[in-house]
Amino acid sequence: MRSDKMKKGMEKAPHRSLFSAMGCLPEELERPIIGIANSANELIPGHIHLDRICQAVKDGIRLAGGTPMEFSTIGICDGIAMNHEGMKYSLGSRELICDSVEVMAKAYPFDGLVLIPNCDKIIPGMMMAAMRLNIPAIMISGGPMLAGRFKGKAVDLISVFEGVGKVAGGLMSESELGMLEQCACPGPGSCAGMFTANSMNCLSEALGIALPGNGTIPAVHAARIRLAKMTGKRIVGLIKEDVKPRDIVTMDAFVNAVTVDMAFGGSSNTALHLPAVAHEGGIKLPLSVFDEVSERVPHICNMSPAGPHHLEDLSEAGGVYGIMKELSKKGLINKKCMTVAGAKIGELLKGATVEDHDVIRPLNKAYHEKGGLAVLSGTLAPDGAIVKRIGVVESIWHFEGTARVFESEEDAGAAIMEGKIKPGDAVIIRYEGPKGGPGMREMLTPTSVLAGMGLDAQCALITDGRFSGGTRGLCIGHVSPEAAEGGPIGLVKNGDRIEIDLDRKTIEILVSKKEMEKRRKAWQRPEPKIKTGYMARYAEMVTSAASGAVFK
């Protein structure tokens, strides 16, 4: 066992003495020692209950004959970090989380790992660590939040963000917004729509790194506790079988995950995180894979914010395996991929069913013939950009508008709130990329306010930063190269004409090559926005969004 390095032999007597100081019995040290990376904290709604999940995992490990040892990681709630300097630190925390798990697993040679995340950057950060370390590992999330209820309708966090725009546009009173904010997020869990956290948790099932149900069983259901116990038992099995993450999370598994992503219309951030997870396993997952898969996979599951359904609805309808069951009818799922359950996808699909065809539509009644995300390219984004295509009304799939340029999210948000953005405007928010932000902030506030004011079907919002999984409308993010690297988005001027075509998947700046070259020669790299500390170092090491914003 790997853990013998810190517990076996006469020379390890001091080590055993220290374990004894923590209350360990000799027989506990004879068993597989399993590290539990738990991101529980009191700052994230999705994490406030992870102590219960962790206890259930420990119970499962002990039932199967292992010894659990818990350690913690940091975690940031993107919703609370949104629209202020805190959001600059969110994406950067992904690398810190990955590194911290690696450091603990190297300092303590665990026989296996259980990863307990439950929000945007924590999930991919832990997945990255599993691939980097490549010791037996399994993931169990805290599960999704239930939807709230407001005036007889299901609501979630995005309803509140959009409510701000409704108040600004005179469509809702401040007192109504106050009532909405009290009921939109009714308890623990990752926010209720198919936003980034729930997208990644669902994709953990498609990747095979988590047991069926991990992405959809609500946080407050007892089934989540039972799944955690099963996860604890299963890690002991993975150790005995010597099954490692790279045995499971192969290129074929990533294609399965992208396929499922397109079918349920997941967050555009999956195109940032999946390539980063693949990178840690020595696998290249270019944006072209997302584009190719999107062309052949129909959108069959319409989740909030684009549609009416929430994760609890998907859970009842058959969950992620229900979606894969439907996709497999046309050979869109690779059934030979192995999973942490100890069975191949095909074997697990035999027991999967679709219980509600309104939530998981048959392939011949898909919402859209093509998948949820699209990769755009053109003179404004030579290396690509990402749009959540299914969140855009078809009336503006072809858009030509006038550039309104802003150098930060704050400036753009203020202009929108003050009513300065008009139908036909193409709002450009730049110097918000991985280097320029630094940290590639999500921009849920400006997108939600635009939607709340009814402008999401009349304007475009384009950035080298990111958009939340809760975004809808013609919102194009991950524009690469970013402005801070001298990309064309940094050369746009107010009044330029911008053309977007989602059918042709193009994004163009309608300015002559001669004029663009003139602007390029005059361009100067701006001063860094953060000059000290972690994010200053991050800006020096991080690569383009097109490569997953991984470190050099």
Side-chain angles (χ1 to χ4, degrees):
M1 292 191 288
R2 290 183 78 252
S3 60
D4 286 352
K5 296 177 184 177
M6 61 179 174
K7 67 183 185 184
K8 282 280 187 181
M10 181 187 67
E11 69 278 10
K12 298 301 190 299
H15 304 62
R16 293 191 294 274
S17 180
L18 291 169
F19 279 114
S20 296
M22 294 184 282
C24 291
L25 299 173
E27 53 263 44
E28 288 183 281
L29 297 183
E30 293 171 5
R31 301 170 182 170
I33 293 182
I34 296 156
I36 303 176
N38 184 7
S39 56
N41 61 53
E42 297 181 351
L43 292 162
I44 309 177
H47 292 231
I48 56 174
H49 65 305
L50 293 188
D51 53 346
R52 287 197 66 210
I53 300 294
C54 188
Q55 185 58 55
V57 168
K58 291 176 182 177
D59 292 344
I61 290 172
R62 290 194 173 99
L63 281 170
T67 297
M69 291 188 170
E70 177 188 356
F71 62 93
S72 60
T73 74
I74 62 168
I76 291 174
C77 174
D78 279 16
I80 296 173
M82 197 73 65
N83 195 29
H84 60 86
E85 189 182 35
M87 181 49 74
K88 292 178 183 287
Y89 290 79
S90 177
L91 182 59
S93 73
R94 185 187 73 178
E95 270 48 45
L96 280 176
I97 290 160
C98 177
D99 289 350
S100 68
V101 175
E102 177 200 5
V103 165
M104 290 298 288
K106 291 293 188 180
Y108 299 86
F110 301 121
D111 297 302
L113 276 172
V114 178
L115 308 167
I116 309 181
N118 206 38
C119 280
D120 289 16
K121 308 309 166 300
I122 302 96
I123 300 160
M126 288 195 181
M127 285 183 178
M128 289 163 67
M131 292 291 276
R132 182 185 295 178
L133 290 162
N134 201 34
I135 63 173
I138 189 170
M139 196 177 100
I140 169 72
S141 75
M145 186 185 292
L146 295 174
R149 301 288 297 178
F150 181 67
K151 295 186 175 181
K153 294 183 178 180
V155 292
D156 53 42
L157 178 67
I158 305 308
S159 308
V160 187
F161 272 98
E162 293 187 0
V164 174
K166 289 181 179 179
V167 172
L171 303 174
M172 177 183 277
S173 69
E174 286 194 45
S175 62
E176 287 179 304
L177 179 61
M179 289 187 286
L180 174 61
E181 73 177 71
Q182 291 298 315
C183 62
C185 299
S190 46
C191 298
M194 194 58 85
F195 316 138
T196 304
N198 289 327
S199 296
M200 290 301 296
N201 275 333
C202 286
L203 296 184
S204 71
E205 295 186 47
L207 286 170
I209 196 69
L211 295 176
N214 181 62
T216 58
I217 296 171
V220 295
H221 284 194
R224 173 66 53 181
I225 299 298
R226 296 196 296 271
L227 186 69
K229 287 184 181 177
M230 291 165 59
T231 298
K233 291 178 67 176
R234 187 61 200 134
I235 186 60
V236 179
L238 290 169
I239 292 167
K240 291 177 180 177
E241 297 156 19
D242 195 30
V243 176
K244 302 180 181 72
R246 295 187 196 180
D247 299 327
I248 293 171
V249 187
T250 61
M251 186 61 189
D252 287 339
F254 278 110
V255 173
N256 274 348
V258 175
T259 299
V260 173
D261 189 13
M262 296 305 163
F264 65 45
S267 164
S268 58
N269 286 311
T270 58
L272 192 69
H273 297 318
L274 288 178
V277 176
H279 172 77
E280 294 295 343
I283 298 170
K284 289 186 178 180
L285 186 65
L287 290 182
S288 58
V289 173
F290 290 79
D291 204 37
E292 292 161 9
V293 173
S294 183
E295 288 300 300
R296 66 173 184 262
V297 176
H299 173 224
I300 61 173
C301 195
N302 206 18
M303 307 292 291
S304 173
H309 301 125
H310 291 85
L311 271 292
E312 62 210 73
D313 304 314
L314 179 56
S315 183
E316 293 175 11
V320 173
Y321 273 79
I323 294 173
M324 289 197 286
K325 181 89 167 187
E326 189 63 32
L327 293 171
S328 67
K329 292 178 180 178
K330 284 196 174 180
L332 294 170
I333 293 294
N334 187 325
K335 297 181 180 181
K336 295 180 180 179
C337 291
M338 183 53 71
T339 74
V340 289
K344 294 180 180 178
I345 291 279
E347 297 171 66
L348 296 175
L349 285 177
K350 292 176 182 177
T353 59
V354 177
E355 301 295 337
D356 188 337
H357 286 286
D358 289 331
V359 178
I360 303 173
R361 283 194 175 182
L363 292 173
N364 61 359
K365 294 183 179 180
Y367 289 99
H368 301 94
E369 291 183 6
K370 297 180 180 180
L373 299 182
V375 179
L376 310 183
S377 62
T379 52
L380 190 58
D383 292 345
I386 300 291
V387 63
K388 192 170 184 176
R389 180 166 49 187
I390 54 130
V392 185
V393 295
E394 292 192 19
S395 61
I396 55 168
W397 274 37
H398 181 269
F399 172 90
E400 186 176 326
T402 303
R404 294 289 308 280
V405 181
F406 300 93
E407 309 299 327
S408 71
E409 177 190 3
E410 288 84 357
D411 292 346
I416 295 167
M417 289 289 286
E418 292 166 11
K420 295 180 179 178
I421 301 303
K422 306 299 181 185
D425 284 347
V427 179
I428 307 284
I429 307 178
R430 64 191 182 191
Y431 295 105
E432 291 286 5
K435 286 183 178 295
M440 202 181 181
R441 283 192 288 184
E442 282 186 353
M443 311 216 182
L444 183 54
T445 296
T447 63
S448 298
V449 172
L450 268 179
M453 297 174 76
L455 290 171
D456 57 307
Q458 299 171 294
C459 295
L461 211 161
I462 304 161
T463 183
D464 52 8
R466 299 180 294 131
F467 293 118
S468 163
T471 293
R472 60 187 175 95
L474 187 54
C475 299
I476 298 163
H478 303 211
V479 171
S480 300
E482 62 173 292
E485 290 187 311
I489 191 172
L491 309 179
V492 182
K493 292 186 176 181
N494 283 314
D496 288 346
R497 298 294 288 176
I498 305 296
E499 184 182 37
I500 300 162
D501 193 316
L502 298 194
D503 285 313
R504 292 189 293 121
K505 294 184 288 187
T506 57
I507 179 166
E508 310 284 356
I509 176 171
L510 304 181
V511 174
S512 70
K513 289 183 180 179
K514 184 177 180 180
E515 172 62 20
M516 289 296 285
E517 191 56 38
K518 178 182 175 183
R519 294 181 189 181
R520 190 178 306 281
K521 289 178 180 178
W523 178 81
Q524 292 183 333
R525 191 181 306 277
E527 284 284 309
K529 294 178 182 176
I530 296 178
K531 298 180 181 180
T532 61
Y534 174 66
M535 289 310 294
R537 300 196 304 275
Y538 177 91
E540 292 177 0
M541 295 187 290
V542 72
T543 61
S544 164
S547 61
V550 297
F551 282 170
K552 295 174 185 175

